Amino acid sequence: AQSVSQHNHHVILSEAASLELGCNYSYGGTVNLFWYVQYPGQHLQLLLKYFSGDPLVKGIKGFEAEFIKSKFSFNLRKPSVQWSDTAEYFCAVKGSASKIIFGSGTRLSIRP
Amino acid sequence: GAVVSQHPSRVICKSGTSVKIECRSLDFQATTMFWYRQFPKQSLMLMATSNEGSKATYEQGVEKDKFLINHASLTLSTLTVTSAHPEDSSFYICSATQGAGAELFFGEGSRLTVL
């Protein structure tokens, strides 16, 4: 069965700091990987996704993620965060069964 | 992007009653819809996968007789919480996709409070 682990539960950064949120998955076959963001009071939005090809994926709002197959990882990065990036971030994986399983989420708080 | 709408956004009911939550894809045909449950400060837990015209596939531990899912058309899926109890209080989120490999779009969620 597929599973997703996000090790950082709450990350606090100052504006302009660099961000890296960890995501590891467990699944033996081909996977599709996603990062979703949930801003306060809003519904989930897709930040970026990896299906195949270049393992470095660029998403919206300056976010990117790198798929490292040997490490079963798909970490999210942003070189310089803004206060508006304050949100909950979810990593998700889809295996062969079409269903998408979410990680426990990482709450990102940005100090202005 | 595509829009998925849920209704109602908030519902309060008495213990023992049944509540229906609708999930509609407004500008695309959703061959597959997923229902998730989100507890406060926790992640989304997949409850079931629903394909249009077929019976829903429930995740382990989810009572299919309690959480009735109907996906009668390509734009509408409903989740009915039957004989609701306080422990069913939660945030229920639906998502929809046009098919395998397509993007998943989320509804705004429905907060159920059972008194």
Side-chain angles (χ1 to χ4, degrees):
Chain A
Q2 61 206 57
S3 65
V4 184
S5 296
Q6 290 180 246
H7 308 295
N8 313 107
H9 298 295
H10 188 193
V11 172
I12 303 173
L13 295 173
S14 297
E15 275 195 310
S18 64
L19 168 72
E20 180 159 3
L21 301 182
C23 173
N24 287 90
Y25 68 92
S26 172
Y27 185 72
T30 302
V31 292
N32 299 147
L33 296 159
F34 308 82
W35 274 97
Y36 285 89
V37 60
Q38 188 172 31
Y39 295 104
Q42 296 187 29
H43 56 96
L44 281 166
Q45 300 172 43
L46 180 67
L47 267 182
L48 48 79
K49 62 186 178 185
Y50 171 79
F51 278 18
S52 64
D54 189 345
L56 184 61
V57 180
K58 293 194 184 298
I60 61 172
K61 304 187 180 187
F63 286 92
E64 65 178 31
E66 185 175 11
F67 170 50
I68 303 179
K69 190 174 180 180
S70 61
K71 294 185 178 180
F72 297 89
S73 70
F74 190 56
N75 293 354
L76 180 71
R77 299 195 292 250
K78 185 171 183 177
S80 177
V81 295
Q82 301 172 310
W83 181 80
S84 58
D85 293 324
T86 295
E88 188 92 18
Y89 292 81
F90 295 95
C91 180
V93 61
K94 184 175 80 164
S96 61
S98 296
K99 58 187 180 184
I100 294 182
I101 303 298
F102 285 80
S104 54
T106 298
R107 184 154 64 100
L108 176 63
S109 299
I110 306 297
R111 291 188 291 251
Chain B
V3 178
V4 175
S5 177
Q6 280 184 243
H7 178 80
S9 57
R10 292 177 183 273
V11 57
I12 301 172
C13 70
K14 292 182 179 180
S15 187
T17 60
S18 294
V19 174
K20 181 185 284 187
I21 300 170
E22 293 184 346
C23 176
R24 295 183 185 271
S25 56
L26 298 186
D27 49 5
F28 68 101
Q29 294 187 323
T31 55
T32 305
M33 287 185 171
F34 302 89
W35 286 94
Y36 291 85
R37 185 173 177 177
Q38 187 179 28
F39 292 99
K41 300 185 187 302
Q42 295 188 31
S43 185
L44 285 75
M45 182 192 79
L46 180 64
M47 298 174 67
T49 303
S50 163
N51 291 298
E52 186 266 337
S54 306
K55 287 185 179 179
T57 302
Y58 290 81
E59 293 299 301
Q60 193 172 11
V62 178
E63 298 175 62
K64 62 180 180 180
D65 295 330
K66 180 166 191 61
F67 299 100
L68 301 178
I69 292 171
N70 183 279
H71 191 168
S73 79
L74 285 171
T75 58
L76 174 65
S77 176
T78 60
L79 167 68
T80 301
V81 183
T82 62
S83 187
H85 289 96
E87 57 266 28
D88 298 324
S89 297
S90 190
F91 197 55
Y92 293 89
I93 303 173
C94 77
S95 63
T97 179
Q98 289 176 285
E103 187 171 335
L104 196 64
F105 297 97
F106 286 83
E108 58 271 70
S110 300
R111 184 166 300 286
L112 170 64
T113 302
V114 184
L115 303 176

